[in-house]
Amino acid sequence: MSETNGIVISGMKYKESSKILTIYTKGLGKVTVLAQGALRPRSGVMASTEVFALSNWKLKKGRTFHYIESVDLIDSFYTIRDSMEKMLFGFYALELLDKSTPLEEENTVLFDLLEKFIRTMREKDRVLPLMVAYELKFASFIGYRPHLGGCVMCGNKSSEVWEFDHTRGGLICSTCRGRSRDSIFNEEVKEMNLLLMSKLEDVGEFDISDNTLWRMHNRMSDYLLYNLDIREMKSLSMIRQGQF
Ligand SMILES: [Zn+2]
């Protein structure tokens, strides 16, 4: 039996009244859990099986699934759903984590980042800077920290304008870059570094325009899809279509 905190990252109905959950836990990494009878009216575990819910889980490992010995809800984060933007950004973070992590590989840093992201999103009104900071930090924590300190090709530390090349993993200076669609000025490079290095609780207050943040998000999401070899993400497509 293992006891650990965990956040539900997806769930689907199974048979009459059960659910199969994917939970990202602090102590076990990503696990699949068969929540037997979760949908029965007085099951007592229903709230813990909702996506975004954070609970303390006591799990027993079976052959295919983990099973619930007992569970205590810590926070449902239900009000995330009050804002379409927060909900989509939340789903995006969950889908990213789900698609990029193997089962049962512990990574407490990723768990803490996710928990803090959801918690901070609930508390703040302006969440776009949070999402970009999450993308930058998430990339770094899974081993793909983008190179934002100079040119990835020649090492040049200064340039009037840069390009971000997601296949090369970072900035390219104006001498090395060929024809480019995306020009990044030094101010924006500074802002990306600031989002990467700052605490999530603080980034909402930064004076970075929404246009700039959307450009950063497009860059970072392309970068993540490329490096994690992800073809498609439902939540990301909806964000890109501006469905909120
Ligand atoms: Zn260069």
Side-chain angles (χ1 to χ4, degrees):
M1 214 259 308
S2 321
E3 179 178 350
T4 179
N5 284 0
I7 293 170
V8 176
I9 58 179
S10 70
M12 60 174 193
K13 196 177 172 214
Y14 178 71
K15 292 190 177 163
E16 268 308 288
S17 60
S18 299
K19 274 172 106 174
I20 295 172
L21 310 171
T22 305
I23 304 178
Y24 201 85
T25 68
K26 185 157 184 154
L28 304 165
K30 186 172 78 179
V31 292
T32 49
V33 173
L34 180 58
Q36 288 164 306
L39 299 172
R40 281 190 204 122
R42 275 183 297 274
S43 79
V45 305
M46 185 139 31
S48 286
T49 68
E50 299 284 350
V51 172
F52 295 125
L54 166 68
S55 300
N56 182 264
W57 301 86
K58 291 193 179 72
L59 300 171
K60 199 172 69 185
K61 195 177 167 162
R63 240 185 310 166
T64 315
F65 298 108
H66 280 76
Y67 296 88
I68 302 168
E69 292 265 295
S70 67
V71 57
D72 287 306
L73 182 69
I74 297 169
D75 199 325
S76 68
F77 295 113
Y78 208 81
T79 53
I80 293 270
R81 291 169 172 76
D82 294 345
S83 147
M84 190 54 121
E85 187 183 32
K86 290 184 183 185
M87 192 166 78
L88 274 182
F89 291 178
F91 280 141
Y92 171 52
L94 300 181
E95 202 179 348
L96 208 49
L97 190 60
D98 195 13
K99 287 206 151 85
S100 61
T101 51
L103 280 172
E104 294 178 42
E105 194 177 286
E106 179 195 343
N107 189 331
T108 56
V109 176
L110 288 184
F111 175 84
D112 291 341
L113 179 68
L114 179 69
E115 186 192 345
K116 190 171 257 190
F117 177 63
I118 294 174
R119 198 176 285 284
T120 315
M121 250 207 324
R122 176 176 61 187
E123 284 154 19
K124 303 279 178 183
D125 292 328
R126 189 169 180 240
V127 290
L128 183 56
L130 267 172
M131 178 176 64
V132 178
Y134 182 86
E135 290 173 312
L136 283 157
K137 288 169 187 290
F138 181 80
S140 302
F141 292 159
I142 52 168
Y144 293 103
R145 181 169 174 161
H147 191 81
L148 301 173
C151 177
V152 283
M153 292 177 74
C154 71
N156 209 341
K157 293 266 183 262
S158 69
S159 177
E160 220 163 274
V161 65
W162 305 86
E163 179 194 350
F164 187 83
D165 185 329
H166 63 262
T167 64
R168 288 198 170 88
L171 298 174
I172 295 183
C173 74
S174 53
T175 316
C176 294
R177 73 183 203 146
R179 264 199 304 175
S180 166
R181 300 164 286 136
D182 186 21
S183 289
I184 309 175
F185 294 95
N186 282 300
E187 184 61 23
E188 199 170 325
V189 172
K190 239 187 272 170
E191 290 165 345
M192 277 181 96
N193 275 303
L194 194 64
L195 289 172
L196 172 61
M197 305 311 292
S198 303
K199 288 186 185 161
L200 275 182
E201 308 89 285
D202 297 335
V203 303
E205 326 302 328
F206 295 161
D207 184 21
I208 308 175
S209 75
D210 282 6
N211 276 340
T212 305
L213 288 163
W214 281 117
R215 274 202 307 275
M216 291 177 182
H217 159 69
N218 286 335
R219 234 173 262 145
M220 283 311 296
S221 51
D222 281 346
Y223 176 72
L224 285 162
L225 292 181
Y226 175 82
N227 282 292
L228 299 170
D229 205 16
I230 300 172
R231 293 244 172 84
E232 213 202 324
M233 283 180 75
K234 230 187 290 170
S235 53
L236 181 61
S237 312
M238 288 175 77
I239 292 171
R240 287 184 169 176
Q241 288 159 27
Q243 294 189 357
F244 51 86

